[in-house]
């Protein structure tokens, strides 16, 4: 017989739920076991630590205790402990002290450290000192001794860590990183994000909140969400992997302009893009879209990708393009059994080509994240008036479902795509190649300068795992 306070109760574990009820079947406690953090036992007493989800999607930790004879307590403890498998016991923690308002270390010490200690998690804590250090650390780190990686910072730190982990997994599996057609091996090691940055987009997608305590509790619960990434290659070399947004043209230029004003801190992302928008530049390109196979095609749904690094102050006739169907060669005919339609090309002057690894789908009049979609949505912005462009970007910023329903924005659901700069000049100096003019890609907030006139983008489904859960 168990005691809950002054009441005698029965305890049952059934269908993943722990129920504490009186003999009259009055339920006093009912908790999903997947929401339990840990179970602590002392002589004649058992304490359960669990999380409670509030309406605003934040999580709080709660406890309750049961008393009983030693043997009954021991048996219940063993039964519960056997069901709490999968919680992380050893983590690598990477902290960016300069993220956001330089509060990474403070957030960790104030919120995360005590919760990790409570749950008995073994930690290897590294405070990063420079850009791309997480990628370098993961090249040789012993991944076999940890159950996951935790970043304390913003989206940028996560993206560096993701790049390092994905590259390491390919290295261990002898996958050629520089082959843009290669199918990569997915990482089995989840990454958790404790938000301390200026944007924290991924955490909001995952949990529906930027609450750091909620993020830590999700990590401790150990649940996983699979997510897509895209690779971008140029000149037979991998440039980077993208977890959020890959933007060529306008958003590449915006990021390049922002890099000139790093001394302004995060506020530069709210101010500098306004100037970039006013001097927007046209690009003469050919875009080749790789279609989905029949098995990859998803059910019809409105998909929406969020563009990041837009100014908070934004309030936002398609050029005539020549569409081409590639002439079928013998190799094309051999592929027709797996490819449902011909490759489609667009050629003309554009402002931007953007794609998004994490998509949003309309649901009940609002946008919800979708991490494991079968396809990649590519949005090409063609020639248009400045006022129409601002109107469209305003809707993107405000996450309106019709933000891409403009005549000057073309949408393609693909497995990958290729962008070729037309009429561009390549200068060769020794073994180095440089484009005569500057062209930039915004890869998750990192500005990449192109050295080749062609780059390839490929979708990699469920390539990484997050600690967390959907925010629906």
């Amino acid at each position: 017989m168990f005691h809950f306070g002054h009441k005698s109760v029965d305890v049952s574990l059934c269908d993943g739920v722990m129920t504490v009820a009186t003999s009259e079947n009055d339920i006093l406690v009912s908790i999903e076991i997947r929401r339990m953090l840990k179970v602590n036992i002392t002589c004649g007493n058992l304490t359960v630590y669990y999380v409670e989800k509030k309406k605003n999607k934040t999580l709080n930790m709660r406890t309750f205790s049961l008393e009983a004879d030693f043997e009954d307590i021991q048996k219940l403890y063993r039964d519960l402990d056997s069901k709490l498998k999968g919680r992380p016991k050893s983590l690598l923690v990477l902290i960016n002290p300069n993220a956001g308002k330089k509060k990474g270390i403070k957030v960790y010490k104030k919120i995360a450290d005590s919760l990790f200690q409570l749950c008995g998690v073994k930690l290897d804590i590294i405070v990063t000192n420079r850009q791309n250090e997480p990628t370098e650390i993961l090249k040789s780190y012993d991944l076999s001794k940890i159950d996951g990686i935790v970043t304390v910072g913003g989206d940028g730190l996560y993206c560096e860590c993701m790049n390092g982990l994905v590259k390491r997994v390919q290295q261990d599996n002898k996958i050629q990183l520089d082959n843009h057609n290669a199918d990569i091996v997915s990482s089995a090691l989840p990454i958790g994000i404790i938000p301390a940055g200026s944007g924290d987009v991924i955490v909001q997608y995952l949990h529906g909140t930027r609450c750091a305590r909620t993020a830590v509790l999700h990590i401790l619960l150990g649940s996983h969400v699979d997510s897509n990434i895209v690779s971008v290659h140029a000149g037979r070399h991998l440039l980077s992997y993208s977890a959020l947004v890959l933007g060529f043209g306008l958003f590449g230029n915006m990021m390049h302009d922002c890099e000139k004003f790093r001394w302004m801190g995060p506020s530069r992302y709210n101010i500098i893009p306004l100037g970039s928008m006013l001097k927007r530049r046209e690009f003469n390109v050919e875009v080749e879209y790789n279609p989905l196979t029949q098995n990859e095609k998803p059910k019809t749904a409105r998909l929406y990708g969020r563009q990041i690094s837009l100014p908070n102050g934004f309030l936002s006739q398609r050029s005539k393009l020549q569409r081409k169907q590639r002439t079928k060669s013998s190799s094309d005919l051999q592929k027709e059994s797996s490819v449902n339609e011909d490759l489609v090309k667009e050629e003309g002057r554009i402002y931007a080509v953007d794609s998004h690894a994490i998509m949003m789908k309309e649901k009940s009049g609002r946008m919800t994240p979708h991490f494991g979609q079968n396809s990649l949505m590519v949005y090409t912005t063609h020639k248009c008036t400045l006022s129409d462009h601002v109107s469209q970007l305003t809707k993107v910023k405000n996450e309106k479902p019709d933000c891409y329903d403009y005549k000057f924005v073309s949408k393609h659901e693909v497995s990958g795509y290729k962008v070729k700069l037309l009429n561009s000049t390549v200068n060769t100096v020794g073994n180095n190649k440089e484009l005569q003019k500057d062209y930039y890609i915004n890869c998750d907030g990192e500005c990449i300068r192109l050295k080749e006139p062609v780059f390839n983008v490929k979708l990699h489904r469920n390539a990484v795992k997050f600690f967390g859960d959907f925010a629906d």
Side-chain angles (χ1 to χ4, degrees):
M1 179 63 68
F2 293 91
H3 296 278
F4 182 81
H6 299 293
K7 296 181 178 180
S8 298
V9 295
D10 295 319
V11 179
S12 65
L13 303 176
C14 183
D15 297 328
V17 177
M18 178 180 181
T19 303
V20 178
T22 64
S23 57
E24 292 80 19
N25 287 328
D26 293 331
I27 298 177
L28 304 178
V29 178
S30 180
I31 303 170
E32 291 182 275
I33 294 174
R34 69 187 184 94
R35 294 293 183 186
M36 291 184 183
L37 291 172
K38 66 170 292 185
V39 182
N40 192 39
I41 186 173
T42 57
C43 184
N45 183 280
L46 181 141
T47 301
V48 176
Y49 296 80
Y50 66 99
V51 299
E52 182 180 72
K53 193 170 188 177
K54 302 176 71 175
K55 289 184 178 180
N56 63 358
K57 302 186 186 300
T58 59
L59 300 181
N60 285 332
M61 186 175 70
R62 296 282 185 263
T63 65
F64 72 88
S65 297
L66 295 170
E67 295 180 353
D69 294 337
F70 180 77
E71 290 185 1
D72 291 336
I73 286 291
Q74 283 284 348
K75 182 180 185 306
L76 179 59
Y77 174 79
R78 288 194 299 269
D79 290 343
L80 283 173
D81 190 58
S82 67
K83 298 179 183 297
L84 294 182
K85 304 301 181 183
R87 273 61 170 176
K89 296 300 181 185
S90 179
L91 295 169
L92 168 63
V93 180
L94 300 172
I95 304 175
N96 179 2
N98 297 314
K101 297 181 179 180
K102 300 186 177 182
K103 58 182 181 179
I105 295 176
K106 181 179 178 180
V107 167
Y108 178 80
K109 289 183 176 179
K110 183 178 179 180
I111 298 172
D113 187 61
S114 59
L115 289 172
F116 284 139
Q117 297 300 329
L118 173 69
C119 293
V121 180
K122 182 180 178 182
L123 304 169
D124 183 5
I125 302 171
I126 301 176
V127 178
T128 61
N129 296 309
R130 63 185 184 279
Q131 191 174 11
N132 294 323
E133 186 178 359
T135 303
E136 297 172 10
I137 291 171
L138 291 172
K139 281 183 180 179
S140 56
Y141 195 88
D142 185 1
L143 301 179
S144 65
K145 68 179 185 180
I146 58 175
D147 301 316
I149 302 169
V150 173
T151 65
V152 186
D155 295 317
L157 178 61
Y158 164 75
C159 291
E160 288 185 27
C161 182
M162 177 274 293
N163 266 274
L165 180 60
V166 172
K167 290 175 182 177
R168 170 65 182 279
V169 172
Q170 308 323 302
Q171 171 189 312
D172 291 349
N173 287 276
K174 296 180 171 55
I175 302 297
Q176 294 297 320
L177 289 175
D178 293 328
N179 179 1
H180 73 269
N181 287 316
D183 292 323
I184 66 175
V185 176
S186 299
S187 170
L189 204 63
I191 302 176
I193 306 171
I194 300 175
S198 55
D200 301 320
V201 174
I202 297 176
V203 162
Q204 292 185 76
Y205 282 176
L206 279 170
H207 312 316
T209 175
R210 294 176 65 181
C211 172
R213 183 179 300 276
T214 296
V216 175
L217 292 173
H218 274 295
I219 293 168
L220 290 170
L221 289 173
S223 58
H224 301 159
V225 174
D226 292 330
S227 186
N228 297 346
I229 63 173
V230 300
S231 59
V232 55
H233 288 78
R236 297 182 180 178
H237 292 288
L238 172 69
L239 299 183
S240 188
Y241 293 106
S242 169
L244 273 175
V245 60
L246 190 70
F248 166 76
L250 176 61
F251 292 102
N253 288 350
M254 282 183 176
M255 189 52 56
H256 174 255
D257 292 342
C258 287
E259 287 299 295
K260 301 175 186 177
F261 296 88
R262 294 188 68 86
W263 57 269
M264 294 177 63
S267 64
R268 67 187 184 274
Y269 297 117
N270 301 330
I271 301 171
I272 304 305
L274 289 167
S276 305
M277 188 69 194
L278 293 174
K279 62 179 183 180
R280 60 190 182 143
R281 174 181 164 196
E282 293 181 18
F283 302 88
N284 192 16
V285 302
E286 177 185 89
V287 185
E288 183 177 288
Y289 305 97
N290 300 327
L292 303 174
T293 65
Q294 191 63 40
N295 291 335
E296 292 172 328
K297 288 198 170 186
K299 296 179 180 179
T300 301
R302 182 195 290 271
L303 293 176
Y304 168 84
R306 177 172 180 176
Q307 293 173 330
I308 60 173
S309 301
L310 294 180
N312 288 334
F314 259 90
L315 294 177
S316 236
Q317 307 275 356
R318 175 174 174 177
S319 62
K320 292 182 180 180
L321 297 183
Q322 180 183 3
R323 283 177 177 263
K324 302 176 180 179
Q325 284 195 340
R326 193 179 65 172
T327 303
K328 295 179 183 178
S329 65
S330 59
S331 60
D332 292 327
L333 295 173
Q334 291 173 359
K335 294 179 182 178
E336 280 211 321
S337 60
S338 61
V339 177
N340 193 48
E341 60 181 305
D342 294 331
L343 287 171
V344 174
K345 291 183 181 180
E346 288 185 338
E347 181 180 315
R349 303 190 71 80
I350 57 97
Y351 287 120
V353 181
D354 305 305
S355 55
H356 311 269
I358 298 176
M359 305 298 293
M360 302 284 278
K361 287 201 303 185
E362 187 178 10
K363 180 180 179 181
S364 302
R366 67 185 184 92
M367 309 311 294
T368 57
H370 190 56
F371 287 84
Q373 74 279 9
N374 291 333
S375 60
L376 178 68
M377 291 298 292
V378 185
Y379 305 96
T380 303
T381 306
H382 309 290
K383 193 172 182 179
C384 60
T385 65
L386 179 61
S387 60
D388 284 346
H389 203 173
V390 171
S391 173
Q392 187 259 330
L393 291 179
T394 300
K395 289 189 176 183
V396 172
K397 181 69 177 178
N398 295 329
E399 301 184 350
K400 299 295 184 182
D402 62 344
C403 63
Y404 293 110
D405 293 343
Y406 283 77
K407 291 182 179 180
F408 56 84
V409 179
S410 66
K411 297 173 284 188
H412 295 269
E413 201 166 355
V414 301
S415 60
Y417 61 97
K418 179 171 71 174
V419 177
K420 180 180 180 180
L421 303 173
L422 302 179
N423 305 321
S424 59
T425 303
V426 180
N427 296 328
T428 302
V429 180
N431 295 325
N432 298 321
K433 291 183 178 181
E434 294 283 343
L435 290 171
Q436 192 173 50
K437 294 183 178 180
D438 293 333
Y439 300 91
Y440 300 100
I441 293 175
N442 175 2
C443 182
D444 298 337
E446 178 189 359
C447 182
I448 300 175
R449 184 178 183 272
L450 289 174
K451 297 182 179 181
E452 299 279 349
V454 178
F455 66 90
N456 292 274
V457 177
K458 179 180 171 66
L459 172 69
H460 301 281
R461 292 195 61 232
N462 299 327
V464 294
K465 294 180 183 295
F466 291 112
F467 279 118
D469 211 339
F470 287 118
D472 54 7

